[in-house]
């Protein structure tokens, strides 16, 4: 019998067998020829890493147990005790928590750079500054970073540029092509796309950094399980179609909210009124993702009423699944920011973030009309 599956089976094993000493010697002499132990490498996690690496156009990648593990692995690729990093002030709350609460304790310090000052880093750079971390499209205000200008500015100061590309996805934007050094994902979001897996990935522009990433993934134990890898690979097969559908729906939702009398502001790069609309259109190849935020009056009762009345946007503090959801930055994702950081970003109780799914858009618009009435 010759079994040749079309789809990679799930190699649900923690370890692999060797015939003899020659076989184990071959594992070390010919990298990639065999597997040893799943934390070091597994056919399923390698398939996911290769898929993300191909999409992003990198020299190598590692799949990680979560997006947070991906951020940690990326920072560890370049940093050691005594180093300093720059981070865009508009950043995922977990990234801020990692930097403020954990890496600070290990001797890696951080300075936050306001969005308007990202292309003029001189006042922020110290002798020990190693890198800048930012997001292609920020959460929750959907500010868009000019990646080419950002890479030029970083490299002028001898800094590595690390991009969290979770919101944009490589369907819109491939940061390595603009000069970024590492690009990372919460695979949990658009790459897997079905809200049923927690995973991450980091892709390197150079083979040297890719080898560092693999070492870090293995020895810190950040790598991903076979089952989660398999689900992520399956999700990624429809990513191009899903992200286009998410984007088209979000555009219509944003246009609907923009003229709604109860809505005070809408943040979506696809709107002509968005400050980086032209940049976003170019860098995103005409797609703007399924993520948007809008502002209701700063009144807990008003926000609660919206959440209670909406059927199609359940309050579920994640994003990018095929089903729509809403989240609340102040109460969930951006809780860990200091009050100062929250105020500077305008993260108040009235700010709601939608993750627009791929349902028929008329149903989504009808639901929002009902919830806001
Ligand atoms: C969710 C998210 C993360 C963290 O990913 P996990 O998979 O939850 O660990 C990092 N960055 C961004 C932009 C995210 O949205």
């Amino acid at each position: 019998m010759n079994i040749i599956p079309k789809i990679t089976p799930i190699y649900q094993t923690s370890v692999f067998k060797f015939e003899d000493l020659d076989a184990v010697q071959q594992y070390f002499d010919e990298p990639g020829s065999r597997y040893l132990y799943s934390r070091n490498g597994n056919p399923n996690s390698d398939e996911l890493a290769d898929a993300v690496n191909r999409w992003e156009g990198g020299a190598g990648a590692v799949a990680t147990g979560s997006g947070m593990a991906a951020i940690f692995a990326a920072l560890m690729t370049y940093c050691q005790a005594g180093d300093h990093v720059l981070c865009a002030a508009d950043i995922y709350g977990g990234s801020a928590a990692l930097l403020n609460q954990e890496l600070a304790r290990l001797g890696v310090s951080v300075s936050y750079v306001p969005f308007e000052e990202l292309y003029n880093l001189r006042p922020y750079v110290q002798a020990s500054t190693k890198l800048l971390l930012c997001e292609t499209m920020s959460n929750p205000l959907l500010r868009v970073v000019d990646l080419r200008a950002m890479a030029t500015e970083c490299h002028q100061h001898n800094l590595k540029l690390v991009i969290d590309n979770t919101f944009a996805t490589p369907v819109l934007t491939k940061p390595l092509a603009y000069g970024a050094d590492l690009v990372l994902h919460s695979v949990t979001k658009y790459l897997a796309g079905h809200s049923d897996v927690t995973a991450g990935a980091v892709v390197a522009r150079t083979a040297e950094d890719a080898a560092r990433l693999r070492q870090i993934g293995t020895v810190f134990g950040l790598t991903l399980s076979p089952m989660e890898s398999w689900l992520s690979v399956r999700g990624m097969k429809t990513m191009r179609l899903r992200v286009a559908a998410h984007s088209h729906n979000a555009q219509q939702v944003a246009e609907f909210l923009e003229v709604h009398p109860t809505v005070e502001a809408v943040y979506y790069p696809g709107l002509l009124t968005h400050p980086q609309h032209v940049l976003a259109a170019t860098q995103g190849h005409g797609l703007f993702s399924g993520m948007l935020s809008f502002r209701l009056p700063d009144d807990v009762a008003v926000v609660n009423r919206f959440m209670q009345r909406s059927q199609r946007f359940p309050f579920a503090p994640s994003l990018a699944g095929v089903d729509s959801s809403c989240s609340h930055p102040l109460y969930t994702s951006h809780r860990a920011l200091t009050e100062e950081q929250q105020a500077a970003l305008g993260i108040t109780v009235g700010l709601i973030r939608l993750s627009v799914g791929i349902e028929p858009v008329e149903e989504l618009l009808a639901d929002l009309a009902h919830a806001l009435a």
Side-chain angles (χ1 to χ4, degrees), residues 42-84:
N42 170 287
N44 297 110
S45 58
D46 281 1
E47 188 179 24
L48 174 60
D50 287 347
V52 184
N53 187 55
R54 254 197 324 279
W55 260 106
E56 292 288 4
V62 65
T64 59
S66 66
M68 285 307 301
I71 296 169
F72 182 67
L75 296 175
M76 286 299 102
T77 302
Y78 299 128
C79 290
Q80 58 188 33
D83 286 344
H84 172 245

Side-chain angles (χ1 to χ4, degrees), residues 64-71 91-95 135-139 164-168 184-189 197-201 291 317-320 333-334 353:
T64 59
S66 66
M68 285 307 301
I71 296 169
I91 199 77
Y92 177 67
S95 308
E135 296 167 9
T136 314
M137 297 167 86
S138 76
N139 181 19
D164 182 335
N165 201 31
T166 298
F167 271 39
L184 65 90
H185 284 276
S186 170
V187 172
T188 314
K189 314 293 171 52
V197 52
T198 300
M291 305 306 305
S318 185
L319 57 108
S333 56
H334 290 68
R353 213 231 30 234

Side-chain angles (χ1 to χ4, degrees), residues 174-300:
K174 298 174 168 58
L176 299 180
Y178 294 97
D181 297 284
L182 294 181
V183 57
L184 65 90
H185 284 276
S186 170
V187 172
T188 314
K189 314 293 171 52
Y190 283 118
L191 269 54
H194 294 74
S195 310
D196 55 8
V197 52
T198 300
V202 195
V203 183
R205 190 158 49 82
T206 69
E208 191 188 345
D209 286 350
R212 281 290 297 140
L213 274 173
R214 269 193 299 277
Q215 155 90 355
I216 287 163
T218 300
V219 302
F220 280 100
L222 304 174
T223 46
L224 187 65
S225 72
M227 179 70 188
E228 312 301 287
S229 300
W230 188 90
L231 280 169
S232 301
V233 166
R234 187 167 78 151
M236 280 189 72
K237 291 177 186 179
T238 55
M239 177 172 66
R240 187 197 303 274
L241 302 173
R242 283 186 286 105
V243 169
H246 282 290
S247 297
H248 291 130
N249 278 359
Q251 181 73 35
Q252 295 203 47
V253 168
E255 289 172 8
F256 167 83
L257 292 173
E258 197 178 31
V259 297
H260 196 284
T262 324
V263 174
E264 297 179 352
V266 180
Y267 305 92
Y268 186 64
L271 294 176
L272 294 171
T273 49
H274 187 280
Q276 294 97 43
H277 171 70
V278 175
L279 167 68
T282 312
Q283 214 170 247
H285 299 90
L287 295 175
F288 302 94
S289 95
M291 305 306 305
L292 65 89
S293 294
F294 69 99
R295 212 174 268 294
L296 288 177
D298 279 322
D299 180 343
V300 173

